[in-house]
Amino acid sequence: IMVRFVKQNLNKPQCDLELELELRPNNNDLSVMSIIQGRRMSMTQSKPGLVVIDLEEMASNTPNANPNQLETCQLISQRFSGRKSTFKSSGDGGATAPRNSTKRSISGDATLIPLFTSNYVLGSPCREALARLEMFHNLKCLHMTAVHGTDRADFAQCYLKQCIQDQCPTIALTEITANLSIPLGQGDTRPLVRHLRMIAFYICALQKAKSTTPTTAIYATVIQDECSHSCTVRVGDDQSIDLKVGTMENLFPIVPQVFDDRVEKAMKEIATSSSGLVSTSALSELSQIIDFYFARTLAPAVVVSSDALLIKNLVQAIGSQHNVHSLRGIEAGTYKMMKSLYDPSDTPNLRDDILKFGKGACVAVELQCPTVDGQLCIREIIEDSPSMTAFSTNKSALYKSGLFFAVHVTGELTPEVRSRASIVI
């Protein structure tokens, strides 16, 4: 069975949702409803298939909020049932479908599988609005919890070995042995994933320093002391490095060292142009973040600072290195991060600007966020997951490996940007 995918983010102003979910007389535009119609399949065709509709980031049902959960559910109920009008309660005759709406409706198509994601509980009025549609009659709310216990330990073990193989592709996964003794945390696995990627970076760096001849196996031991915030990574019997847990839970060598020659060149430019405004310890940690970036350990690397000159010099220094491109002076509040559904194909936007350099290219981007709204605009582009639109495919998605975002913020840093930052200076 073939499976197609349509993604729609619901965490946006109601007016934008109404425009994107608008029912139009033809299927030649890029409205979400037209995209769903264009990707519909049947189980009786020669190659049967399903369509997964990912409706993500449903808002809370806070009164007077925009977006609001109830208004969003009512809008989906109307549009998926083929109605162009506003939602009406059952007492107002809203349950009776207008003439010809069934021809535009997708609510009875069993090959469409809608999925909602949200950080908030689905309210009873919201559930009732969706339940008018046949496809939501059996709607189930599932509380998702992060992997924990022995499963979390198994995940950490397997993911670390996979990260090591990604950086040392000549070594078979079965020939990688990694003994982990680190705090695994609870809840969200993203901090753990970042931590494991950094550990893999040091393991591979030690393995390369251990021998100049190709090797067929890796044996590593990692021990982290949660009380002293120290960590020791050992490869074999003779190679080890002592680390410390620093800013943003990053792992830094106790004795600073550089693993990529480009880091030293970039840091020399940054140190010269910063004129002593940045502390030595901050520059040392920044150096390691850049090292992580060149090794593609952080995908993406995100440096946040209120120092506009530092951000400018940082992008200039990294962009001047071999095989690294740069985009400078991007103001998040005025320059589009990605095209919306109804923008002309030639609309300038950051996502397409990055993709023009080619798949997997190294690109350093200077982002300016003078307002809180500007910070909210960049949260999707700087998060560690592929950037996709409703009509994206695996080939057209923007993958974050090789991307470096230097973000200048004015005023208070929002939780959304802070949670995505590799380091805040």
Side-chain angles (χ1 to χ4, degrees):
I1 296 178
M2 183 168 58
V3 179
R4 292 175 176 172
F5 179 79
V6 178
K7 171 185 172 181
Q8 171 64 24
N9 190 303
L10 300 177
N11 191 18
K12 56 184 67 177
Q14 185 72 12
C15 59
D16 290 349
L17 288 175
E18 290 176 354
L19 180 63
E20 294 178 4
L21 293 171
E22 186 177 2
L23 292 167
R24 298 205 166 200
N26 60 66
N27 292 331
N28 296 325
D29 61 271
L30 291 178
S31 70
V32 174
M33 300 307 299
S34 295
I35 293 171
I36 294 173
Q37 291 282 11
R39 295 194 174 183
R40 288 171 74 178
M41 295 178 285
S42 72
M43 299 301 291
T44 58
Q45 63 190 48
S46 58
K47 193 170 184 179
L50 305 171
V51 180
V52 175
I53 306 174
D54 177 21
L55 301 166
E56 63 177 25
E57 295 190 37
M58 174 76 82
S60 68
N61 200 25
T62 304
N64 301 320
N66 188 10
N68 171 270
Q69 187 180 105
L70 179 58
E71 292 180 356
T72 301
C73 290
Q74 290 175 344
L75 178 65
I76 292 173
S77 177
Q78 289 295 100
R79 299 300 177 262
F80 279 29
S81 62
R83 308 181 193 190
K84 296 183 179 181
S85 59
T86 57
F87 186 89
K88 296 180 181 180
S89 64
S90 298
D92 296 330
T96 304
R99 183 173 59 89
N100 291 332
S101 66
T102 54
K103 295 181 180 180
R104 300 189 298 265
S105 173
I106 61 174
S107 65
D109 191 339
T111 65
L112 300 179
I113 305 176
L115 301 175
F116 292 91
T117 61
S118 178
N119 292 327
Y120 308 96
V121 176
L122 184 66
S124 297
C126 307
R127 179 188 286 270
E128 292 172 3
L130 293 173
R132 286 190 183 180
L133 276 65
E134 186 178 356
M135 64 165 43
F136 295 125
H137 282 180
N138 298 314
L139 179 66
K140 293 183 179 180
C141 293
L142 303 176
H143 180 65
M144 305 296 291
T145 57
V147 62
H148 60 280
T150 55
D151 289 340
R152 195 177 182 95
D154 291 342
F155 163 76
Q157 186 82 22
C158 294
Y159 187 77
L160 177 61
K161 292 172 67 175
Q162 184 61 61
C163 290
I164 294 172
Q165 191 192 40
D166 289 343
Q167 297 188 44
C168 302
T170 59
I171 301 177
L173 200 61
T174 54
E175 297 299 321
I176 299 174
T177 303
N179 295 323
L180 272 179
S181 179
I182 64 172
L184 301 178
Q186 296 179 348
D188 191 354
T189 57
R190 286 179 296 180
L192 175 61
V193 165
R194 283 185 57 197
H195 206 66
L196 294 170
R197 290 175 68 90
M198 293 177 195
I199 291 173
F201 168 85
Y202 290 113
I203 290 175
C204 293
L206 291 174
Q207 180 66 29
K208 292 174 184 177
K210 180 180 178 181
S211 176
T212 55
T213 59
T215 183
T216 58
I218 291 180
Y219 183 86
T221 302
V222 183
I223 301 175
Q224 182 172 330
D225 188 339
E226 195 169 6
C227 297
S228 63
H229 300 288
S230 62
C231 179
T232 299
V233 176
R234 183 178 296 277
V235 175
D237 298 325
D238 55 350
Q239 292 290 327
S240 65
I241 186 171
D242 294 324
L243 309 172
K244 61 181 179 180
V245 181
T247 306
M248 314 295 287
E249 299 299 313
N250 294 313
L251 288 174
F252 302 105
I254 293 178
V255 178
Q257 60 185 104
V258 172
F259 298 91
D260 191 303
D261 294 338
R262 292 175 291 180
V263 178
E264 193 170 352
K265 297 176 183 177
M267 290 308 300
K268 186 177 291 185
E269 290 186 39
I270 296 169
T272 302
S273 57
S274 63
S275 304
L277 297 177
V278 184
S279 67
T280 303
S281 61
L283 287 175
S284 177
E285 293 190 354
L286 177 60
S287 171
Q288 189 56 57
I289 295 299
I290 297 174
D291 222 336
F292 287 148
Y293 163 67
F294 283 129
R296 298 179 184 261
T297 298
L298 298 176
V302 182
V303 176
V304 180
S305 177
S306 58
D307 187 339
L309 181 61
L310 172 64
I311 293 298
K312 179 180 178 181
N313 293 336
L314 180 58
V315 173
Q316 182 174 338
I318 294 178
S320 64
Q321 304 308 309
H322 180 61
N323 283 338
V324 181
H325 308 278
S326 64
L327 295 169
R328 306 178 189 178
I330 306 295
E331 186 172 336
T334 58
Y335 195 77
K336 281 185 174 289
M337 295 297 102
M338 64 176 65
K339 292 196 298 284
S340 63
L341 291 169
Y342 294 112
D343 286 331
S345 59
D346 59 349
T347 301
N349 67 95
L350 180 58
R351 183 176 179 275
D352 286 351
D353 292 344
I354 295 173
L355 287 171
K356 287 176 183 177
F357 292 113
K359 184 178 180 180
C362 290
V363 185
V365 183
E366 177 191 352
L367 290 172
Q368 300 169 355
C369 299
T371 64
V372 171
D373 287 344
Q375 293 187 49
L376 294 177
C377 287
I378 69 171
R379 63 181 181 176
E380 197 275 342
I381 199 76
I382 66 172
E383 70 179 356
D384 57 350
S385 61
S387 176
M388 304 180 72
T389 61
F391 44 88
S392 289
T393 63
N394 287 334
K395 291 183 179 180
S396 64
L398 173 63
Y399 294 91
K400 307 298 176 62
S401 177
L403 300 187
F404 185 99
F405 293 103
V407 184
H408 171 241
V409 297
T410 302
E412 187 176 354
L413 186 62
T414 62
E416 289 83 2
V417 173
R418 181 177 293 277
S419 66
R420 291 161 171 79
S422 306
I423 189 172
V424 179
I425 300 178

